[in-house]
Amino acid sequence: MPDKSTALARLLPPARRRRTRVGLVAGGLGTYWPQFPGLLPQLKESTRYVSRRFEEMDADVTDVGFISDEREGAAAAETLRRADCDLIVMFLTTYLTSSMVLPIAQRSNTPVLVIDLQPTEKMSHADFDTGAWLAYCGQCPVPEVGNVFRRAGIPFRSVSGHLRQESAWERIGRWIRAAHVRAALRHARHGLMGHLYPGMLDVSTDLTLLPATFGSHVEVLEFDDLRHRVEKVTDDETAERVKVAREIFTLDDTVVDDDFSWGAKVSVALDRLVDDFALDSLAYYHRGLDGEQHERLGAGMILGASLLTARGVPAAGEYELRTSVAQLVTQAAGAGGSFTEIQALNFEDGVVEMGHDGPAHLAVSAREPLLRGLGVYHGKRGWGVSVEFDVRHGPVTLLGLGQDRDGTLSLVASEGTVVPGPLLEIGNTTSRVDFGRDPGLWVDEWSATGVGHHWSLSLGHGAGDYRAAASLLGIDYREV
């Protein structure tokens, strides 16, 4: 698909999100330093390497340096508490006592990752003395820290490896991506506009649950908030949005010029709505009646909502607040995320056909996205332009946000592969996903998780990232 970033760059930039904050502290037992004078310089060199690796990650790093006893640990704890981090990483360079690191986890109220990375793959046994060995025993205190964390009611996470082991750094990177998710949800402002699609009981969400679970804010909006902004959009602004849309989409012959212009006008107003309320996501629905203005507003959302999603502000139709949150999770993890549901099963090819009408994430498209004109939206009132494309072939991960009987939330994921084959041409995003099993069995297992009938379809096999994110968020994780 041609690069559309130039055209998208002319639109409103993505929401102003607070950057992810990662705290970093390294330590070892100070008793060793006078006994083995060469040990501390070696450990500090390893610490500098770790610090440089973290500085290369897409986060603001608060590095509090090296601690050698419990008093220095307490001082580091206070600094990290003030930093309000999304994740704290403890680098155990050699043996240290759990009393040195427990206060950091207790006082910061922040998830902690313990890492122990010895200098190389193995020791040189023939010429190592005790001081040289101690640089390799960062693993020694890991069980101790794990035991004390458990007794203190603190979730324990660790990555063990050696300093330049890229597989270990990939596991560390997974936790950093999870921290991006936690940061996005802690400070997110979710727009919820309109009302529940009548009868969709699974979509209904306790609005207090998001701030209580994540710290997010839910901004309840009216379609009149959008109407007011649409009325202020000028003809020149509409024409410019039409021009940008023509650069991004291929227009099918079914597109009616008036409907295209209306979608472009609504798109400009949506950008202002997002900017005025500082929204990080948007879920919407309005039923409408007999072509009245609010029905036309709801029907004109798809173009603008897709352009917002492409710029990192995910949008979902049918008032799907939890799915817009799931899309924000996959977006924060760097995997895109498009509004999706099951369309049909193909038992001959062994695939689940998925897609949805309405807003789509252009980053997951296998080809230049198409605008198709629809005289009717199935199951909804109104008409206009809709976005259509097939999803990029290759690995994908579904992510939904479930809500259980007791009200608690969970992340629900499933990895599959999008494969080629025939697709519907009805103004939907569409895909054929192979989950490596009978598609009917997959549907049964997926539905039993309590996921609801919409979710985010993201690129790559990212279940490990979402499992880590659930851990940092303190919610359940389920995988099919």
Side-chain angles (χ1 to χ4, degrees), residues 399-439:
L399 184 75
L401 196 66
Q403 185 173 354
D404 291 343
R405 182 178 182 179
D406 63 0
T408 57
L409 297 172
S410 60
L411 290 184
V412 185
S414 187
E415 294 181 340
T417 303
V418 174
V419 297
L423 300 168
L424 295 172
E425 297 180 352
I426 57 173
N428 285 19
T429 60
T430 54
S431 59
R432 293 158 45 89
V433 188
D434 184 351
F435 292 101
R437 72 193 77 180
D438 178 281

Side-chain angles (χ1 to χ4, degrees), residues 204-271:
S204 177
T205 302
D206 177 1
L207 300 190
T208 305
L209 201 55
L210 295 185
T213 303
F214 305 130
S216 304
H217 170 76
V218 180
E219 185 71 24
V220 177
L221 303 168
E222 303 284 355
F223 260 82
D224 285 321
D225 292 314
L226 179 61
R227 175 191 58 78
H228 176 70
R229 287 162 176 81
V230 167
E231 292 170 352
K232 294 180 180 296
V233 176
T234 67
D235 291 342
D236 287 345
E237 290 170 328
T238 300
E240 175 59 24
R241 186 56 53 93
V242 165
K243 181 180 178 181
V244 171
R246 286 183 180 276
E247 295 177 30
I248 295 172
F249 298 93
T250 295
L251 267 64
D252 187 73
D253 292 341
T254 55
V255 172
V256 177
D257 287 343
D258 286 347
D259 294 343
F260 185 23
S261 295
W262 174 249
K265 188 170 187 175
V266 174
S267 176
V268 175
L270 271 175
D271 283 3

Side-chain angles (χ1 to χ4, degrees), residues 90-293:
M90 297 178 177
F91 176 29
L92 311 188
T93 65
T94 185
Y95 177 74
L96 48 64
T97 64
S98 49
S99 65
M100 293 169 57
V101 295
L102 180 60
I104 295 173
Q106 287 178 315
R107 299 178 191 179
S108 62
N109 195 31
T110 299
V112 172
L113 171 67
V114 172
I115 64 173
D116 53 281
L117 304 173
Q118 66 186 37
T120 63
E121 289 181 290
K122 63 180 182 179
M123 294 188 294
S124 178
H125 297 77
D127 52 20
F128 265 36
D129 60 12
T130 303
W133 156 63
L134 285 172
Y136 280 73
C137 74
Q139 293 82 7
C140 179
V142 176
E144 175 182 338
V145 173
N147 172 275
V148 171
F149 275 25
R150 179 177 287 270
R151 291 164 69 178
I154 298 168
F156 177 74
R157 311 165 187 90
S158 68
V159 173
S160 300
H162 65 85
L163 203 58
R164 288 170 172 80
Q165 182 183 1
E166 288 307 313
S167 59
W169 279 104
E170 170 56 30
R171 284 148 57 204
I172 293 169
R174 176 171 293 164
W175 289 107
I176 300 302
R177 292 189 291 275
H180 290 324
V181 171
R182 183 172 186 261
L185 293 189
R186 283 180 71 204
H187 302 277
R189 293 175 56 85
H190 306 290
L192 189 60
M193 184 169 68
H195 61 79
L196 190 72
Y197 189 106
M200 283 189 179
L201 302 182
D202 67 306
V203 171
S204 177
T205 302
D206 177 1
L207 300 190
T208 305
L209 201 55
L210 295 185
T213 303
F214 305 130
S216 304
H217 170 76
V218 180
E219 185 71 24
V220 177
L221 303 168
E222 303 284 355
F223 260 82
D224 285 321
D225 292 314
L226 179 61
R227 175 191 58 78
H228 176 70
R229 287 162 176 81
V230 167
E231 292 170 352
K232 294 180 180 296
V233 176
T234 67
D235 291 342
D236 287 345
E237 290 170 328
T238 300
E240 175 59 24
R241 186 56 53 93
V242 165
K243 181 180 178 181
V244 171
R246 286 183 180 276
E247 295 177 30
I248 295 172
F249 298 93
T250 295
L251 267 64
D252 187 73
D253 292 341
T254 55
V255 172
V256 177
D257 287 343
D258 286 347
D259 294 343
F260 185 23
S261 295
W262 174 249
K265 188 170 187 175
V266 174
S267 176
V268 175
L270 271 175
D271 283 3
R272 289 179 180 162
L273 184 78
V274 166
D275 190 46
D276 290 346
F277 289 97
L279 301 181
D280 295 288
S281 73
L282 176 66
Y284 65 90
Y285 175 75
H286 183 80
R287 182 172 58 187
L289 182 66
D290 295 335
E292 52 84 30
Q293 187 175 29

